């Protein structure tokens, strides 16, 4: 609870807190208010606050809680009266807040001597809730909710007038510049002091023309995460529930209320200064900001941070033992430093974009009269190198880690040697500047163009203007725009410029030589006039985040044409994903669905990583389709070579289709001797159902609940999962019979003998159907219920059901599309983990497989016995154009080769076991984890609100997936209750990636949403 008041002409005197002992607090509370009970002090910077919890009573079983407040002696009585009235206005507006409690004498405000001087004393009701500052993570929705509430407070206080509102507070940003100037001496670190002074100078210059245009009214003055309280919602997400501490109520700039609230966000997410935009947007929806307020907002945010820094240090110096103020110092520095590090012009442009009030266009980049930095012939020969996600020169993860910088340098140096000069692209989100998988988005979008030359290179002026030089920087400016060349030296022949020290600017005409580079230089085009000295002292960043780049265009432009190159073809970083999604929804039927409400645009991958168009790398926890991992070079080369050779259908005679079929049969028991190749798991299941129907002569099919087998007419008919089709049970065909899902964790039967009991139920139904004249012809099930979340099929179930179906003349299908092909580690096929009464593995009649066998290429198979296949042959031949094509067959063989050579099944066993160990340890300290399912690299993490009732944590699971995406991990919910995290990454998954996944999951479960 942060409140501070200054009623002094000079801020340098400071305001120590009232000096009052806890025994004196108890005495005064009893004498003035009749209050007693447990008491503890709450944090405060310049007042003293004590929380009393009175003994339990029938009316208050938990004991009434009230706040005993001793105001700083500098606070006038009418100021306190104004605070009380502001609280009443909040109550009237429907916002829970403290309210004065009358003393035994019937007074809202009492006066008592404290340490020999009269002090105002109040008793206030206590607002339940946890201060927002105690929640570690703020989601965008929480930040927006803050903005809405702050806007509503401004509305409620609009028109409020009271003599006590006219006060001089050190937190009133109208006096902020004077405050910082007077107290700057308390910042004893020279580097930090210089940063505060520089920020103060920039702030003063920005605010000077705006002050007279900023609306003034009564404001709360301190709506920060200290003074907003919340309850804990889904997975710890805060839900705002009240406002406390009205000690800073007074007259001030209306926009200052917003500026103060914004500062509360920075220390929760210091890597993203623009995380405040949802707050600003929500505030503006309630209280529309004027143009002057928009332009003043970021400078005021920085000024508020500076006042916190100097005031906090002052308070610690004059108030020994104030642990509250001491503990806040580093947090207050972050609150200042984060927004101060972002150019206010950029921040304001970002705010205007967020509010739909676009900033003015950036600097003009077109050359005047055809002049350019590079000689025309050299510019024609210059090679522009692509370093973003579309780069074909960057291969096989060569852009990652320290190798990335080396790969980038090698590409540019080789290009410079062949063409004389090489250049990069403005606004390009470079892979080589990405961080791999990281919690934070990479700072990788180029703010300029880099030039690499094979020899010394003279630059000519692209327009007439003033040239200045300082060490390492040369600039040329015509007043409206400036080219800054880092890594250049001024030419002494051109107007006596000295690259080793700053000299007076000299004028050059368009086309005259003015600078020289040797090896490397970065060219940046900036709006306005910038001297070389300024550029050297405060250079703009070489790279920015994709989130910030569109706002930087208010300051920066593409210098390519001024260099003599074609304009960059790179779009505004961060802008494409939304447009792509809109185009997808317009042309690509929405019923095909997509992950996430606001998905990144994924265009590249490497091993267990997915990469978006901004170069951000995500850990891929869901791609069991791409078993080998993304971008496998051997597979890519094989596919490319086969395309060059031949791709045709399987009715031609070629070796690869025979080889692939033989290799598949080698993985299965000897009873399997026939392979049919198709394009997908859906087609495999559909064909398998046709085969068994022809073989048994029976239409009726049994399956299990909560399963998914495909989208075709037949495969969809036996798919029972309501997560894929909410009407699955309602639309079920009469020939489909669904058995209870054999789930020993939350199903009908639980415990060690669950498999036997589920089997008994299924066998009873098989017998009933046979007696009714509809005997089961086919039983289809996954050996592990993948769609439900890698749920274990309990021991004994499949063996018993297989025997019962076969005894009645039916056949059984093992759907291995998701769970087979080595994914479970210790077995290649899922059915191998199940044993019959004698201990031998069960053997199905038909196996269906797809996904992994093509590593994402459309390839599936039905593997069975020849007599089953022959039953369908009696009805005609079967043919799939692409299922067994030369390309598909060759690709299928290569996948098996790579799985063998890279030991991917063994890796699934080893790393999957390691991952399971880490998740077991995590579950011990995270109660939301109810159960861990699966094995190898096919696992499921089931989230429950209560481990006894097993209430599914559905909303928490979806929110968790969204938060994990923001932290660089792609994971999705599955199961009919949407409460299981599916964990099925590529089989090349590493222990390091397992650690990152578990650590990120732990962080989200700990810090909340």
């Amino acid at each position: 609870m942060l409140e501070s008041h200054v009623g002094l002409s000079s801020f340098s005197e400071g305001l120590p807190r009232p000096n009052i002992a806890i025994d004196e607090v108890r005495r005064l509370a009893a004498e003035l208010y009749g209050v007693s009970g447990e008491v503890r002090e709450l944090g405060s910077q310049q007042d003293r606050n004590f929380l009393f919890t009175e003994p339990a009573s029938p009316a208050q079983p938990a004991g009434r809680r009230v706040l005993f407040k001793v105001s700083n002696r500098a606070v006038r009585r009418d100021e306190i009266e104004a605070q009380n009235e502001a609280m009443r206005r909040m109550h009237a507006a429907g916002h829970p807040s403290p309210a004065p409690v009358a003393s035994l004498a019937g007074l809202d405000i009492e006066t008592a001597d404290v340490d020999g001087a009269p002090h105002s004393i109040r008793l206030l009701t206590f607002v339940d809730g946890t201060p927002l500052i105690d929640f570690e993570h703020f989601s965008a929705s929480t930040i927006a909710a803050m903005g809405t509430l702050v806007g509503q407070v401004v509305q409620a206080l609009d028109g409020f007038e009271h003599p006590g509102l006219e006060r001089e507070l050190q937190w009133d940003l109208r006096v902020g510049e004077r405050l910082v100037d007077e107290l700057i001496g308390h910042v004893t670190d020279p580097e930090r002091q210089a940063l505060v002074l520089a920020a103060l100078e920039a702030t003063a210059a920005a605010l000077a023309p705006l002050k007279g245009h900023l609306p003034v009214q009564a404001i709360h003055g301190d709506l920060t995460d200290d003074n907003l309280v919340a309850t804990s919602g889904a997975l710890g997400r805060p839900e705002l529930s009240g406002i406390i501490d009205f000690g800073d109520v007074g007259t001030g700039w209306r926009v200052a209320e917003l500026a103060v609230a914004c500062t509360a966000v920075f220390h929760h997410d210091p890597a993203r200064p623009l995380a405040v935009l949802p707050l600003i947007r929500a505030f503006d929806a309630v209280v529309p900001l004027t143009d002057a307020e928009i332009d003043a907002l970021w400078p005021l945010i920085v000024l508020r941070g500076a006042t916190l820094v100097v005031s906090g240090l002052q308070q610690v110096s004059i108030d020994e033992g104030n642990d509250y103020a001491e503990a806040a110092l580093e947090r207050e520095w972050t609150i200042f430093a984060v927004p101060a590090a972002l150019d206010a012009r950029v921040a304001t442009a970002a705010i205007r974009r967020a509010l739909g009030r676009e900033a003015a266009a950036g600097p003009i980049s077109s050359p005047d009269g055809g002049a350019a930095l590079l000689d025309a012939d050299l510019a024609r020969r210059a090679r522009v190198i692509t370093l973003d996600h579309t780069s074909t020169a960057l291969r096989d993860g060569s852009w990652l880690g320290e190798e990335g910088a080396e790969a980038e340098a090698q590409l540019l140096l080789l290009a410079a040697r062949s063409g004389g000069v090489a250049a990069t692209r403005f606004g390009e989100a470079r892979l080589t500047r990405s961080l791999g998988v990281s919690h934070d988005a990479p700072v990788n979008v180029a703010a300029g163009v880099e030039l690499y030359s094979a020899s010394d290179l003279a630059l000519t002026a692209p327009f007439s203007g003033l040239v200045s030089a300082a060490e390492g920087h040369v600039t040329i400016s015509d007043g409206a725009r400036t080219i800054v060349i880092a890594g250049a030296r001024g030419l002494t022949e051109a107007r006596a410029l000295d690259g080793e020290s700053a000299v007076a600017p000299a004028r050059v005409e368009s086309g005259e030589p003015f600078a020289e580079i040797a090896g490397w230089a970065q060219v940046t085009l900036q709006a306005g006039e910038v001297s070389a000295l300024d550029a050297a002292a405060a250079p703009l960043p070489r790279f920015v985040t994709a989130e910030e780049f569109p706002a930087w265009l208010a300051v920066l432009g593409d210098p390519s044409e001024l260099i003599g190159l074609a304009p960059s073809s790179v779009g505004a970083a961060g802008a494409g994903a939304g447009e792509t999604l809109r185009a997808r929804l317009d042309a690509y039927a929405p019923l095909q669905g997509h992950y996430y409400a606001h998905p990144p645009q994924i265009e590249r991958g490497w091993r267990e990583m997915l990469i978006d168009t901004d170069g951000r790398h995500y850990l891929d926890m869901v791609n069991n389709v791409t078993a080998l991992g993304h971008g496998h070079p051997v597979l890519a080369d094989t596919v490319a070579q086969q395309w060059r050779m031949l791709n045709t259908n399987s009715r031609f005679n070629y070796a690869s289709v025979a080889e692939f079929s033989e290799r598949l049969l080698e993985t299965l028991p000897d009873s399997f001797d026939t392979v049919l190749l198709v394009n997908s798991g859906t087609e495999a299941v559909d064909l398998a159902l046709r085969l068994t129907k022809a073989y048994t002569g029976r239409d009726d099919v049994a399956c299990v609940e909560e399963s998914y087998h495909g989208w075709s007419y037949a495969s969809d008919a036996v798919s029972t999962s309501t997560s894929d089709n909410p009407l699955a049970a309602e639309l079920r065909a009469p020939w489909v019979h669904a058995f209870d899902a054999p789930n020993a964790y939350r199903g009908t039967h639980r415990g060690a003998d669950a498999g036997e009991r589920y089997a008994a139920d299924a066998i009873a139904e098989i017998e009933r159907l046979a007696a009714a004249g509809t005997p089961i012809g086919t039983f289809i099930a996954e050996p592990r219920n993948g769609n439900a979340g890698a749920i274990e099929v309990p021991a004994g179930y499949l063996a018993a059901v297989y025997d019962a179906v076969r005894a009645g003349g039916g056949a059984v299908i093992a759907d291995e599309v998701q769970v087979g092909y080595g994914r479970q580690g210790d077995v290649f096929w899922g059915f191998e983990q199940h044993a019959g009464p004698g201990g031998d593995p069960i053997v199905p009649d038909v196996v269906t497989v797809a996904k992994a066998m093509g590593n994402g290429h459309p390839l599936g198979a039905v593997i069975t016995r020849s007599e089953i296949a022959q039953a369908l042959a009696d009805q005609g031949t079967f043919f799939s154009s692409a299922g067994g094509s030369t390309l598909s067959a060759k690709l299928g063989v290569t996948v098996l080769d790579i799985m063998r050579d890279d030991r991917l099944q063994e890796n699934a066993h080893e790393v999957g076991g390691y991952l399971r160990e880490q998740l077991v340890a995590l579950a011990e300290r995270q109660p939301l984890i109810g159960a861990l399912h699966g094995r190898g690299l096919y696992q499921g993490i089931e989230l429950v609100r209560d481990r006894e009732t097993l209430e599914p944590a559905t909303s928490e699971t979806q929110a968790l997936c969204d938060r994990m995406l923001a932290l660089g991990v792609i994971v999705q919910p599955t199961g009919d209750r949407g409460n299981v995290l599916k964990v099925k990454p590529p089989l090349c998954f590493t222990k390091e990636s397992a650690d990152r996944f578990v650590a990120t999951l732990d962080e989200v479960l700990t810090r909340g949403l």
Side-chain angles (χ1 to χ4, degrees):
M1 295 182 184
L2 177 67
E3 71 281 305
S4 303
H5 329 284
V6 175
L8 308 174
S9 59
S10 172
F11 298 113
S12 58
E13 296 179 33
L15 292 171
R17 295 174 302 163
N19 183 20
I20 186 170
I22 195 75
D23 288 341
E24 181 69 1
V25 169
R26 289 193 179 96
R27 183 186 70 80
L28 288 173
E31 289 182 1
L32 297 175
Y33 295 95
V35 169
S36 62
E38 294 183 8
V39 60
R40 65 182 177 92
E41 184 166 8
L42 302 181
S44 172
Q45 194 165 50
Q46 293 170 343
D47 292 343
R48 298 293 289 272
N49 296 320
F50 300 88
L51 175 62
F52 275 84
T53 303
E54 296 183 311
S57 67
Q60 297 277 350
R64 183 180 69 147
R65 295 201 293 174
V66 288
L67 188 72
F68 185 83
K69 188 176 190 71
V70 183
S71 296
N72 198 288
R73 63 181 175 82
V75 182
R76 307 188 314 265
R77 186 179 183 87
D78 64 345
E79 294 174 342
I80 297 175
E81 291 171 347
Q83 295 172 26
N84 288 348
E85 179 59 29
M87 295 179 207
R88 295 187 180 100
R89 282 179 169 260
M90 288 301 104
H91 273 287
H95 303 303
S97 57
V101 177
S103 67
L104 296 176
L107 301 176
D108 282 351
I109 306 170
E110 285 282 0
T111 304
D113 282 349
V114 174
D115 199 24
H119 285 67
S120 293
I121 292 175
R122 280 175 292 169
L123 192 71
L124 304 174
T125 58
F126 186 78
V127 179
D128 286 323
T130 303
L132 202 55
I133 196 171
D134 292 342
F135 293 85
E136 291 193 56
H137 169 66
F138 288 178
S139 67
S141 61
T142 297
I143 293 169
M146 291 171 64
T148 298
L149 180 56
V150 174
Q152 291 169 343
V153 170
V154 167
Q155 281 186 327
L157 294 178
D158 187 23
F160 174 35
E161 295 181 356
H162 191 286
L165 296 174
E166 301 307 319
R167 48 199 309 223
E168 187 173 69
L169 291 173
Q170 70 186 99
W171 305 119
D172 183 348
L173 291 180
R174 293 177 297 175
V175 298
E177 296 165 38
R178 178 162 67 89
L179 170 81
V180 176
D181 185 60
E182 287 191 23
L183 302 186
I184 191 63
H186 291 281
V187 185
T188 55
D189 181 290
E191 186 175 333
R192 287 192 171 187
Q193 185 183 93
L195 289 172
V196 174
L197 287 173
L200 180 64
E201 181 180 0
T203 295
L207 291 176
L210 301 171
K211 291 178 179 178
H213 303 284
L214 301 179
V216 174
Q217 69 163 74
I219 60 174
H220 177 281
D222 200 13
L223 291 173
T224 66
D225 51 350
D226 272 306
N227 296 327
L228 297 175
V229 296
T231 58
S232 184
L235 201 56
R237 177 174 289 176
E239 297 176 357
L240 297 180
S241 59
I243 304 164
I244 60 175
D245 189 0
F246 285 70
D248 292 337
V249 167
T251 301
W253 285 322
R254 180 178 68 181
V255 70
E257 194 85 281
L258 174 60
V260 169
C262 285
T263 61
V265 176
F266 298 121
H267 67 98
H268 291 273
D269 197 357
R272 293 183 58 234
L274 296 184
V276 297
L277 292 179
L279 193 156
I280 298 169
R281 191 162 45 237
F283 178 94
D284 181 70
V286 179
V287 180
L289 293 164
T290 67
D291 280 345
E293 287 178 311
I294 294 172
D295 290 340
L297 180 54
W298 203 262
L300 288 175
I301 288 172
V302 174
L303 182 59
R304 166 68 175 193
T307 63
L308 286 173
V309 168
V310 297
S311 296
L313 289 167
Q314 181 204 35
Q315 193 67 30
V316 169
S317 71
I318 65 173
D319 192 4
E320 186 177 348
N322 191 337
D323 295 337
Y324 176 82
E326 178 79 34
L329 292 180
E330 280 307 305
R331 181 176 74 244
E332 289 167 346
W333 177 257
T334 300
I335 289 171
F336 161 74
V338 170
L342 181 61
D343 189 303
R345 297 170 298 172
V346 175
T348 301
I351 292 168
R352 288 189 172 276
R353 284 174 55 87
L355 300 182
R357 288 174 246 181
E358 293 289 340
I364 299 170
S365 59
S366 300
D368 299 327
L373 288 173
L374 294 181
D375 170 81
D377 180 62
L378 184 59
R380 278 192 296 273
R381 291 187 286 112
R383 296 186 58 190
V384 178
I385 301 301
T386 298
L387 298 169
D388 68 0
H389 69 279
T390 66
S391 172
T392 56
L394 296 170
R395 297 178 57 179
D396 306 337
S398 63
W399 60 86
L400 292 169
E402 294 180 2
E403 295 179 3
E406 183 178 340
E408 177 184 294
Q410 287 298 319
L411 286 173
L412 289 161
L413 289 174
L414 287 172
R417 288 170 185 161
S418 64
V421 64
T424 61
R425 299 191 297 170
F426 173 75
E428 181 179 58
R430 295 192 198 172
L431 285 184
T432 48
R433 300 290 167 160
S434 299
L435 304 172
V437 177
S438 172
H439 273 29
D440 298 322
V443 183
N444 66 328
V445 181
V449 170
E450 293 177 40
L451 296 177
Y452 285 73
S453 62
S455 58
D456 288 358
L457 187 64
L459 304 178
T460 55
F463 49 74
S464 300
L466 292 178
V467 177
S468 60
E471 185 173 0
H473 289 74
V474 176
T475 69
I476 177 170
S477 177
D478 63 3
R481 56 191 168 167
T482 301
I483 295 177
V484 179
I485 308 166
R489 59 177 178 267
L491 291 173
T492 53
E493 299 89 348
R495 311 295 179 178
L497 295 178
D498 180 358
E500 299 303 318
S501 60
V503 297
R507 183 167 181 82
V508 294
E509 299 303 320
S510 176
E512 286 189 316
F514 72 102
E516 186 178 69
I517 65 172
W520 172 89
Q522 186 193 36
V523 181
T524 304
L525 175 62
Q526 302 178 24
E529 194 162 358
V530 179
S531 72
L533 199 58
D534 291 337
L540 293 180
R542 289 179 61 197
F543 298 93
V544 300
T545 65
E547 180 182 39
E548 294 176 7
F549 180 75
W552 276 101
L553 294 177
V555 176
L556 298 173
D558 181 1
S560 299
E561 287 186 281
L562 291 169
I563 294 171
L565 307 172
S568 174
S569 59
V570 180
E579 294 176 4
T580 299
L581 181 60
R582 283 190 292 274
R584 173 191 176 110
L585 296 175
D586 286 343
Y588 185 71
L591 66 86
Q592 295 169 94
H594 60 83
Y595 293 143
Y596 304 107
H598 304 287
Q601 184 175 339
I602 302 295
E603 297 286 358
R604 192 160 183 167
W606 172 245
R607 291 182 58 84
E608 68 265 43
M609 292 177 286
L610 291 168
I611 305 167
D612 71 12
T613 50
D614 294 331
R616 181 158 195 192
H617 291 54
Y618 300 87
L619 189 60
D620 179 4
M621 299 303 299
V622 302
N623 244 308
N624 62 327
V625 176
T626 316
L628 307 182
H630 304 286
H632 199 290
V634 173
L635 188 62
D637 290 345
T638 298
V639 170
Q641 180 63 25
Q642 186 61 51
W643 269 115
R644 292 188 183 97
M645 299 287 289
L646 174 70
N647 189 34
T648 189
N649 69 69
S650 58
R651 289 185 173 180
F652 289 92
N653 185 26
Y654 48 85
S656 58
V657 72
E659 181 185 3
F660 183 38
S661 299
E662 290 171 349
R663 291 284 296 276
L664 286 173
L665 292 174
E666 288 172 2
T667 68
L668 287 154
D670 292 342
S671 58
F672 292 91
D673 58 10
T674 300
V675 174
L676 299 95
L677 295 176
V678 292
N679 300 319
S680 67
T682 287
E683 292 183 8
V685 169
D686 194 279
L687 176 58
L689 291 171
R690 286 189 64 195
L691 287 171
T692 55
K693 178 181 177 180
Y695 178 64
T696 65
R698 294 176 179 174
D699 293 332
D700 288 77
V701 178
C703 52
V704 300
E705 295 282 6
E706 301 185 27
S707 295
Y708 174 78
H709 296 288
W711 50 260
S712 68
Y713 178 78
S715 61
D716 179 66
V718 299
S719 294
T720 55
S721 169
T722 56
S723 64
D724 293 284
N725 179 5
L727 301 178
E730 201 175 310
L731 300 177
R732 187 165 296 153
W735 50 272
V736 176
H737 309 279
F739 297 160
D740 196 7
N743 185 333
Y745 172 65
R746 65 159 60 249
T748 305
H749 305 300
R750 305 178 190 182
D753 64 345
E756 298 173 10
R757 290 187 285 162
Y758 277 117
D761 291 348
I763 292 169
E765 181 64 6
I766 291 169
E767 293 172 349
R768 186 192 69 79
L769 290 168
T774 53
I776 293 299
T778 302
F779 173 68
I780 181 170
E782 293 181 281
R784 175 177 299 280
N785 197 332
N787 189 78
I791 305 296
E792 184 86 26
V793 174
Y797 176 80
L798 284 182
V801 175
Y802 276 19
D803 286 346
V805 170
R806 285 169 170 155
V812 297
I813 300 171
D815 183 353
E816 299 273 358
V817 170
Q818 292 202 66
V819 304
Y821 236 65
R823 176 157 289 279
Q824 296 191 65
D826 57 342
V827 292
F828 191 85
W829 299 104
F831 68 79
E832 294 178 289
Q833 74 184 68
H834 295 275
D840 294 328
I842 63 171
V843 179
D845 299 302
V846 181
V847 168
T848 60
V849 63
K851 294 188 186 296
M853 66 187 298
N855 201 56
H857 178 81
L859 179 58
V862 177
I863 312 173
T864 186
R865 301 191 303 272
S866 56
E867 68 266 23
I868 296 177
Q870 185 60 41
L872 185 62
D874 294 339
Q875 301 175 18
T877 60
F878 165 77
F879 174 67
S880 174
S881 294
S885 69
T886 49
L887 177 64
S888 295
K890 188 68 174 179
L891 185 148
V893 170
T894 306
V895 167
L896 287 170
D897 287 345
I898 293 170
M899 290 185 67
R900 177 199 62 210
D901 297 343
D902 291 358
R903 301 181 68 252
L904 292 184
Q905 182 179 342
E906 293 88 338
N907 189 69
H909 179 62
E910 179 183 348
V911 177
Y914 175 79
L915 174 61
R916 177 65 175 235
E917 291 174 1
Q918 306 311 305
L919 290 173
V920 168
L922 178 64
E924 291 176 356
R925 61 180 183 272
Q926 296 292 358
L928 199 74
I929 298 177
L932 299 171
H933 307 296
R935 61 169 66 186
L937 288 177
Y938 198 59
Q939 301 190 36
I941 304 170
E942 184 155 0
L943 305 182
V944 297
R945 292 172 182 158
D946 187 298
R947 287 184 175 180
E948 296 299 322
T949 67
L950 305 188
E951 180 186 0
T954 303
S955 60
E956 293 90 334
T957 304
Q958 184 59 65
L960 182 146
C961 292
D962 291 340
R963 178 60 186 149
M964 294 280 279
L965 177 70
L967 296 177
V969 176
I970 290 177
V971 65
Q972 282 289 299
T974 191
D976 281 9
R977 299 159 197 85
N979 71 316
V980 183
L981 297 175
K982 48 185 168 185
V983 178
K984 45 183 186 176
L987 299 184
C988 58
F989 200 64
T990 63
K991 288 184 177 180
E992 291 76 15
S993 291
D995 286 338
R996 177 172 291 280
F997 170 67
V998 174
T1000 306
L1001 180 57
D1002 190 16
E1003 177 181 343
V1004 174
L1005 291 171
T1006 300
R1007 295 189 65 194
L1009 300 175

